[in-house]
Amino acid sequence: MLHQVSRDKGSTALLLGIPCMLMVLLKLMFHSSDATFQRVGPQVFGIFPVIVMYLVASMSTLRERTTGTAERLLTMPVRRLDIVLGYSIAFAFLALLQAVLSTLLSVGPLGLDIKGPAYLLMVIAMLGALLGLALGLLVSAFARNEFQAVQFLPAAVLPQFLVCGLFVPRDEMQGALSGVAKVMPMTYAVQAASEAAGHSGVTGVFVRDALLTLACVILVLVVSAATLKR
C-alpha cells in the first residue's frame, strides 16, 4: 500500500499537503482576528486529518478492490483483521508525516500559540488521521466505486464536524445534540486538542479524550475487518 501511494503523486500531495494548506487558509481567514485563530487553530487538528485521511483511505482501498488486489489477498490464508491492520500500519506512517508537517507549520511560521508541548498536537493530528483511515476502510466495504465513497462523507464525517464543539460549545447545545456529540469520536479529538493548547502539561482530560479517540479507532477497525467478504 505504501508503494502504491508513493507512486500516486496526487494522493501523496493530498495526504501531506492539504492539511498544511488548510491551516494556511485558516490563518488568512482570521488575519484580522488573531484571537479567533488561536482558539480555532488547535481544534482543527482533530478535524482536518479525519476528512483528508477518510478520502484517501476510502478511495485507495476501493482502487485495491477494483484492480483485484484485495480479492487476491482475501484468498490467502490470512485473517481479515490482519489485512486491515496491514493497511492501517502503512497509512499510520503517512499519518505521522502529515501530523509532523502540519504541526511544525502551525506553531512555526503561522504563529499558533499553544501552552502545551507541540508533540501533543501531533498526537491528536495522528489520532484524527487514524480515525479518518478507519472510517474510510469501513465505508469502502459498502461503496461500489469512488463516487459512492465521497457520497458517504456527509453521513460518516460531516455530522461529527457539526457537533464536535467547534461552532458551539457542547454544554450550550440542545439536549439531544449534546447526547449525539458524546458518541462522536471527533468530539474527543477536538477536546483533546483544546486541552493541549490550553494547558502547559499533559492533563487528565487530554489523556481521557485521546484514549477514547484511540478506542473508537480500534472499534471501527474491528468492524471494518468484520465487513470484509472473502
Side-chain angles (χ1 to χ4, degrees), residues 96-147:
L96 176 61
L97 291 179
Q98 180 192 91
V100 170
L101 289 174
S102 57
T103 302
L104 291 178
L105 174 67
S106 299
V107 301
L110 298 185
L112 184 63
D113 185 20
I114 60 173
K115 295 182 179 179
Y119 73 84
L120 294 181
L121 280 185
M122 293 183 189
V123 170
I124 295 306
M126 187 169 181
L127 285 175
L130 291 177
L131 177 61
L133 161 67
L135 292 172
L137 291 176
L138 178 61
V139 165
S140 68
F142 301 98
R144 295 182 179 180
N145 51 53
E146 288 87 347
F147 181 67

Side-chain angles (χ1 to χ4, degrees):
M1 176 60 72
L2 273 176
H3 180 63
Q4 176 185 322
V5 174
S6 64
R7 290 171 56 189
D8 188 342
K9 304 302 182 183
S11 295
T12 304
L14 175 67
L15 193 62
L16 300 180
I18 293 300
C20 294
M21 186 195 73
L22 291 175
M23 289 303 301
V24 172
L25 180 61
L26 193 69
K27 175 67 174 180
L28 294 175
M29 286 174 56
F30 298 116
H31 73 281
S32 60
S33 179
D34 188 64
T36 303
F37 175 72
Q38 299 299 336
R39 177 183 66 84
V40 175
Q43 293 179 321
V44 299
F45 273 79
I47 299 174
F48 290 163
V50 178
I51 298 174
V52 174
M53 187 63 82
Y54 167 87
L55 291 171
V56 173
S58 60
M59 293 186 180
S60 296
T61 307
L62 278 167
R63 188 181 305 165
E64 295 276 286
R65 287 174 51 194
T66 56
T67 57
T69 303
E71 284 73 10
R72 289 192 293 272
L73 285 174
L74 289 170
T75 61
M76 299 174 64
V78 294
R79 295 178 300 175
R80 290 174 294 183
L81 184 58
D82 293 335
I83 296 175
V84 171
L85 289 178
Y87 283 120
S88 302
I89 292 172
F91 276 111
F93 175 74
L94 296 173
L96 176 61
L97 291 179
Q98 180 192 91
V100 170
L101 289 174
S102 57
T103 302
L104 291 178
L105 174 67
S106 299
V107 301
L110 298 185
L112 184 63
D113 185 20
I114 60 173
K115 295 182 179 179
Y119 73 84
L120 294 181
L121 280 185
M122 293 183 189
V123 170
I124 295 306
M126 187 169 181
L127 285 175
L130 291 177
L131 177 61
L133 161 67
L135 292 172
L137 291 176
L138 178 61
V139 165
S140 68
F142 301 98
R144 295 182 179 180
N145 51 53
E146 288 87 347
F147 181 67
Q148 284 190 351
V150 175
Q151 287 180 312
F152 276 115
L153 180 66
V157 178
L158 292 189
Q160 299 187 60
F161 172 68
L162 293 175
V163 301
C164 68
L166 179 65
F167 300 105
V168 179
R170 275 179 50 197
D171 54 5
E172 297 180 12
M173 292 181 184
Q174 192 267 345
L177 281 181
S178 179
V180 170
K182 289 181 180 179
V183 299
M184 295 293 187
M186 188 183 289
T187 298
Y188 299 103
V190 169
Q191 286 183 170
S194 296
E195 282 289 308
H199 298 82
S200 58
V202 180
T203 66
V205 175
F206 174 87
V207 174
R208 181 202 66 190
D209 290 342
L211 289 177
L212 284 172
T213 305
L214 179 60
C216 290
V217 171
I218 295 172
L219 176 61
V220 177
L221 286 177
V222 171
V223 175
S224 300
T227 59
L228 284 177
K229 298 179 180 179
R230 290 190 179 274

